[in-house]
Amino acid sequence: MRGFTLRAVPVYFVAFACGCFGKQDVQRTDGPPPSPTHAYWKQASEILARKPDAETMPAYVALVRVQTDALRELPTDGVDAELIAAVASVIKCEEDVLRRAEMVDNNPARLKESKELAMGFANANRVATESKKRLKALQPALNTRHGGGFAPMV
């Protein structure tokens, strides 16, 4: 009988441990809640990933307007200052694209009529693209400063 009791003790111990510790109300999370900088990055990334409804100049301009307005409305409390500045630069550049598009009433035929307007519009688009590239390039620095969690922008 003594041999049976000694062999049963580990089984009872395991059952006791599983019963007591397995029933605790433990909440699991995938990490700490996202910081304002993480949330801002994610929202800006989602905004800039949108595509135009059609491959026309009016559709492109409408998308730029929607993106610019959405970026402007993002809350900046507690967000990394360099990230805010980069997004502000994108907004400023996109506003220039919008202004130049309005000068020709979003009509590509009018751009073809004036070499100066076409060059100005193309330059504004190039500057806006470079600004977006600088924003995307912040990802490694943000990961270093804020402990990771910043997915690359598409």
Side-chain angles (χ1 to χ4, degrees):
M1 181 76 160
R2 187 176 235 208
F4 173 76
T5 307
L6 289 176
R7 280 183 264 163
V9 168
V11 174
Y12 287 123
F13 178 77
V14 170
F16 175 76
C18 290
C20 291
F21 299 121
K23 303 248 183 210
Q24 287 182 350
D25 187 21
V26 177
Q27 293 182 351
R28 294 184 181 181
T29 61
D30 294 330
S35 70
T37 301
H38 285 89
Y40 190 91
W41 175 266
K42 183 176 186 253
Q43 291 170 333
S45 180
E46 290 169 356
I47 290 167
L48 293 174
R50 297 175 187 165
K51 301 292 181 203
D53 295 333
E55 295 294 321
T56 63
M57 186 172 174
Y60 169 74
V61 171
L63 174 67
V64 170
R65 184 171 285 111
V66 167
Q67 287 177 330
T68 303
D69 291 343
L71 288 172
R72 196 178 290 114
E73 293 173 5
L74 290 177
T76 59
D77 293 340
V79 176
D80 186 277
E82 190 176 2
L83 177 56
I84 292 171
V87 170
S89 175
V90 169
I91 292 169
K92 180 182 173 195
C93 293
E94 294 289 27
E95 285 174 342
D96 189 36
V97 170
L98 292 172
R99 185 178 58 79
R100 291 179 184 275
E102 288 172 1
M103 290 171 62
V104 294
D105 296 325
N106 301 332
N107 187 345
R110 291 208 43 212
L111 276 178
K112 292 178 184 177
E113 293 172 2
S114 172
K115 185 177 180 179
E116 293 81 25
L117 289 175
M119 293 296 288
F121 185 74
N123 187 49
N125 275 313
R126 183 185 53 75
V127 171
T129 300
E130 290 172 3
S131 182
K132 288 178 186 176
K133 285 180 183 177
R134 284 191 300 274
L135 172 62
K136 292 175 185 181
L138 280 178
Q139 187 242 353
L142 291 171
N143 274 327
T144 301
R145 276 198 301 265
H146 299 281
F150 293 91
M153 285 189 177
V154 183

